[in-house]
Amino acid sequence: MKNSKHILFVHYGENWIRGSEQCLLNLIQHINKNDYTPFLWTNNKTLHIKVKNLGFCSKLSKFLILFGWKSPRFNFLLWKKQIDFAKKYIFDKNIDLVHVNSAAPCQWMIFPAKSMNVPMITQLHSDYSVYERTTLGLHLSPKIIAVSKAITNQLISDGYPKDRLFVIPNGIDINHLRKSIKIDIKSNLYLPKNSFIFTTIGSLIYRKGIDRIIIAIDRLILKYPYIHLIVIGDGPQNKKLRELTNHLNLQNHIHFIGNKKNPQKWLLDTNAFVLGSRKEAFGLVIIEAALAAVPIIVPNEGGIPEIITHRKNGFLYKNSGIQPLMKTMQYIIENPKLALNIGIEAKKYVLKNHSITYNTKQFETIYKQTIEENYSKKIYFWKIFYPLKTFFFNKFKLMKKYVL
């Protein structure tokens, strides 16, 4: 007879360890093993290997999403086999609860969970479009946990029940990061002693807005020739961002250093952390930067204002164009002591609100409640179309505004 409850984590994603993957790893590592035993089913080979190396059971599969982003998009037979495998896996591993990490697996996991009478929770790390909310069947999920309140807004507008929506902000392993020993950036990159260093961390993709930070540096450098930008990360826009850097003749001021296993080492020796995201649901790197007690410059976007209060524990800029970002960076350069004090306040806030221990306890509370109540109602497929109702209602309001 088993003593702990078995939780199946189902994750769909690219073959990397970034925000949602790291949050899942943190949860699997820190969950109370006396009460819960984690199992993973994923299409992410890197995540699969990491979980196996941690000593937990993990299954690697190719996932098919109907009407999704990659081919095949319409193979109903393979999709049905995916559901059948999930049923068998739930039975074989004696699963007590399914935790879907990201929206995509919700599309098929809702059916085996329902047929096997196993409760299910869907965790969302970002916003999803009307098309995605519809085709992934988010409104069929019995419960949804979001990493920020901002993510819940569209679901509530669609008509998703508020009493089945929960917000659990991301947490970080504070004790692990505290062991980080800072890197001497100036010595490592041969920078002048008077350099003022901005650091940004993230995937090199359009949404992260690294190009906006580079352009801001270009506009500031005439007045502040000693500023530098460290770019930690990699991605499909790497070449394009380097070309932009060369075009602006900023090779000696923009430093691409790739992915780092422990970017905290670099944050500890930076003058300010800056984020250029065009869209951001939460931003795990923000709380990592806060733990380093550095001034934080971030857009007033998505769930970020739920973490950062302007001029209290960071600096928010209006998320439009380059000018607001540039002016905020300039303010940090000219007011380093004030900025540093605000960075210290950011660290205090993170220590209180975003530890992985606090984060995990919140999940465990919901797990316990969900397993005990075993919320299982009939699936009403028409709920899939809730997002379309919102879409057409908003379109109608917009037309009415301009016509009348």
Side-chain angles (χ1 to χ4, degrees):
M1 181 178 177
K2 65 176 184 178
N3 294 319
S4 65
K5 299 297 183 181
H6 290 187
I7 300 181
L8 174 60
F9 294 94
V10 187
H11 175 81
Y12 173 90
E14 299 296 332
N15 190 30
W16 54 40
I17 301 296
R18 295 185 182 168
S20 63
E21 291 84 10
Q22 189 57 57
C23 290
L24 180 55
L25 279 172
N26 287 342
L27 182 57
I28 288 174
Q29 285 180 271
H30 291 86
I31 197 169
N32 187 330
K33 303 308 184 300
N34 292 323
D35 295 332
Y36 303 101
T37 301
F39 295 79
L40 175 67
W41 184 29
T42 183
N43 70 326
N44 183 326
K45 186 178 180 180
T46 304
L47 180 63
H48 165 72
I49 292 171
K50 278 190 173 288
V51 170
K52 292 275 284 186
N53 289 341
L54 289 170
F56 301 112
C57 184
S58 180
K59 173 68 179 176
L60 181 67
S61 300
K62 289 183 178 179
F63 286 156
L64 167 69
I65 302 175
L66 289 180
F67 321 110
W69 311 282
K70 295 179 180 179
S71 297
R73 297 181 176 90
F74 309 104
N75 193 323
F76 286 86
L77 181 61
L78 282 179
W79 188 72
K80 175 65 166 55
K81 287 182 178 179
Q82 204 163 265
I83 293 173
D84 292 339
F85 176 84
K87 289 180 183 178
K88 185 176 185 304
Y89 197 80
I90 289 171
F91 179 79
D92 290 345
K93 300 300 182 183
N94 201 5
I95 299 298
D96 296 289
L97 182 141
V98 173
H99 177 141
V100 170
N101 190 55
S102 78
C106 181
Q107 188 191 71
W108 69 87
M109 285 307 302
I110 186 67
F111 301 105
K114 174 65 179 175
S115 67
M116 302 297 288
N117 197 32
V118 172
M120 186 182 108
I121 290 171
T122 302
Q123 185 181 7
L124 302 182
H125 297 267
S126 61
D127 277 320
Y128 289 84
S129 67
V130 169
Y131 180 80
E132 291 166 333
R133 298 200 304 277
T134 302
T135 59
L136 299 179
L138 281 183
H139 285 268
L140 300 183
S141 181
K143 285 186 179 180
I144 292 178
I145 299 173
V147 299
S148 69
K149 290 180 182 177
I151 294 175
T152 68
N153 292 337
Q154 290 180 327
L155 292 165
I156 292 171
S157 295
D158 291 343
Y160 193 92
K162 290 183 181 180
D163 64 332
R164 291 194 279 122
L165 269 175
F166 303 85
V167 176
I168 302 180
N170 289 332
I172 55 174
D173 189 345
I174 289 170
N175 292 328
H176 174 73
L177 292 176
R178 273 177 167 170
K179 297 175 184 176
S180 301
I181 300 172
K182 74 176 181 179
I183 284 177
D184 188 335
I185 294 177
K186 293 171 187 175
S187 296
N188 268 266
L189 300 180
Y190 305 103
L191 303 182
K193 294 294 183 183
N194 69 331
S195 298
F196 189 100
I197 300 170
F198 291 98
T199 297
T200 190
I201 303 173
S203 306
L204 304 191
I205 55 178
Y206 177 78
R207 180 173 65 82
K208 291 295 183 180
I210 310 293
D211 56 312
R212 302 204 296 180
I213 307 174
I214 293 172
I215 294 170
I217 291 284
D218 180 57
R219 294 182 183 180
L220 289 167
I221 209 159
L222 288 176
K223 188 174 182 181
Y224 311 100
Y226 47 86
I227 61 172
H228 293 261
L229 173 66
I230 310 297
V231 181
I232 301 177
D234 203 352
Q237 281 215 322
N238 192 322
K239 182 180 178 182
K240 190 173 183 179
L241 291 169
R242 288 177 183 271
E243 288 174 350
L244 174 62
T245 299
N246 294 337
H247 175 72
L248 297 173
N249 198 26
L250 293 174
Q251 301 93 319
N252 295 327
H253 294 271
I254 311 293
H255 311 276
F256 296 88
I257 64 172
N259 286 321
K260 296 296 176 184
K261 287 185 178 179
N262 189 356
Q264 189 76 6
K265 293 181 178 180
W266 297 80
L267 287 169
L268 290 168
D269 194 41
T270 193
N271 294 102
F273 171 79
V274 57
L275 197 67
S277 300
R278 291 176 168 90
K279 290 189 69 178
E280 194 69 62
F282 183 88
L284 192 62
V285 293
I286 299 173
I287 54 177
E288 290 176 349
L291 189 60
V294 298
I296 297 168
I297 303 168
V298 285
N300 191 347
E301 173 66 36
I304 292 177
E306 297 171 35
I307 315 167
I308 299 298
T309 301
H310 185 55
R311 294 179 67 88
K312 182 177 180 181
N313 63 349
F315 297 87
L316 294 171
Y317 63 86
K318 186 178 179 182
N319 197 14
S320 60
I322 309 299
Q323 194 73 6
L325 168 60
M326 185 194 75
K327 285 187 174 181
T328 308
M329 292 171 71
Q330 181 178 358
Y331 183 85
I332 297 292
I333 296 169
E334 294 182 350
N335 299 275
K337 289 184 179 180
L338 172 63
L340 186 58
N341 288 334
I342 290 177
I344 293 169
E345 290 301 315
K347 182 175 182 178
K348 291 178 183 177
Y349 174 82
V350 166
L351 290 173
K352 181 180 179 181
N353 298 284
H354 292 286
S355 71
I356 190 61
T357 302
Y358 181 63
N359 172 271
T360 304
K361 283 181 179 178
Q362 289 179 291
F363 275 105
E364 289 174 351
T365 299
I366 294 177
Y367 290 162
K368 185 175 185 295
Q369 174 193 347
T370 304
I371 291 171
E372 287 177 352
E373 71 183 16
N374 195 359
Y375 184 92
S376 181
K377 285 189 176 181
K378 184 178 179 181
I379 297 175
Y380 295 100
F381 289 100
W382 49 266
K383 288 185 178 181
I384 288 175
F385 302 105
Y386 271 13
L388 294 178
K389 176 193 69 175
T390 305
F391 175 77
F392 287 114
F393 178 72
N394 290 337
K395 282 285 185 183
F396 175 76
K397 283 202 306 184
L398 191 64
M399 290 175 60
K400 187 176 179 181
K401 177 182 176 182
Y402 285 102
V403 170
L404 299 179

